[in-house]
Amino acid sequence: MNTSWDSENAAVPGQRHEGEPRTARPPGSAADARARVSEVLLLAGVSLDSVTAADVLLVTSELVSNAIRHGGGVTAFRADIADGLLRLSIDDASPLLPAQRTGTVERPGGYGWPLVHRLAERVECRTHPEGKTISTVLRLA
């Protein structure tokens, strides 16, 4: 079963229906994004108590938090599951690609981007005139 959620359609079993009117805005917070991805995981039969779900939700939080903090906010969001893989794509308004950095006392952090790369099977970044899209693929089984 294919299950998807994107900022143009609510979570529904089956494939995304192209051309349908927008019914929801992109998530405004990491918590909102996690709730949407949780819904997709549940529809696909993935337990939210599993390590797999925890990893998926951590990647979701990191990407959405970074889009809000560094990219001017989430402009598009999509999560879909097919063939045992979760595909998560997040667009933001900044064309600047993420860069790995080491945290300092003055500027802590720098752990999220390497963590996303460690947990995801694939991470792709693509710039476009409206900003960028970061897409990840995570194996669910």
Side-chain angles (χ1 to χ4, degrees):
M1 169 194 265
N2 293 349
T3 304
S4 67
W5 201 107
D6 66 32
S7 55
E8 294 180 2
N9 302 288
V12 291
Q15 295 192 358
R16 180 174 167 240
H17 303 284
E18 295 292 336
E20 286 188 0
R22 181 178 296 262
T23 58
R25 293 190 303 198
S29 69
D32 186 16
R34 284 192 308 272
R36 295 178 191 193
V37 171
S38 293
E39 187 176 353
V40 172
L41 290 171
L42 288 171
L43 286 170
V46 177
S47 170
L48 297 183
D49 293 329
S50 67
V51 171
T52 298
D55 289 349
V56 166
L57 296 174
L58 180 57
V59 168
T60 301
S61 290
E62 287 296 332
L63 293 178
V64 170
S65 295
N66 285 344
I68 292 168
R69 181 177 295 124
H70 306 292
V74 177
T75 58
F77 178 87
R78 178 174 171 97
D80 66 71
I81 296 174
D83 302 323
L85 300 172
L86 176 115
R87 291 173 181 84
L88 179 65
S89 295
I90 297 170
D91 289 33
D92 66 40
S94 172
L96 299 176
L97 296 176
Q100 191 163 333
R101 70 175 184 87
T102 303
T104 65
V105 173
E106 296 81 25
R107 191 170 168 220
Y111 301 106
W113 190 238
L115 190 59
V116 166
H117 280 269
R118 184 172 205 159
L119 295 175
E121 191 168 294
R122 187 170 67 232
V123 179
E124 297 175 355
C125 300
R126 181 178 59 86
T127 60
H128 45 79
E130 297 81 29
K132 71 176 162 295
T133 302
I134 298 179
S135 300
T136 61
V137 175
L138 293 103
R139 187 161 301 282
L140 298 179

